[in-house]
Amino acid sequence: MSVEIKFIDKTRASEDPYRHEDGEGREYRYVVQDNGTLAIFEKEESGYIQGNADPIAVYGAAAWFSVTGDPKTKKDSPPARMRTL
């Protein structure tokens, strides 16, 4: 699924809404941080986003005003590994 962002800056009107998507079936998720920044993550081929993954893009709080798509949830994290004794 793609993530669509609407920017505050009207000079970017040709990109409004801007989409993170590609034709190869990759999926993207977003996270709105406590400070208002918007982070975009790309799911790996395994279908998960690693806990230490860096976002592919970060937009400051003053850059955007709307985002649609799928937010990052616990379902996007890989399953916990079980330890055997």
Side-chain angles (χ1 to χ4, degrees), residues 47-69:
Y48 297 109
I49 300 171
Q50 298 297 326
N52 61 350
D54 290 327
I56 61 167
V58 177
Y59 302 99
W64 66 280
F65 69 90
S66 175
V67 61
T68 57

Side-chain angles (χ1 to χ4, degrees), residues 26-69:
R26 292 187 182 109
E27 292 186 41
Y28 297 90
R29 299 292 188 261
Y30 70 87
V31 174
V32 178
Q33 307 289 346
D34 290 338
N35 63 2
T37 58
L38 175 65
I40 308 296
F41 293 88
E42 180 180 12
K43 289 181 88 171
E44 297 178 357
E45 290 181 15
S46 64
Y48 297 109
I49 300 171
Q50 298 297 326
N52 61 350
D54 290 327
I56 61 167
V58 177
Y59 302 99
W64 66 280
F65 69 90
S66 175
V67 61
T68 57

Side-chain angles (χ1 to χ4, degrees), residues 15-28:
E15 300 176 7
D16 200 5
Y18 181 79
R19 293 180 184 206
H20 282 277
E21 68 180 347
D22 71 21
E24 297 179 9
R26 292 187 182 109
E27 292 186 41
Y28 297 90

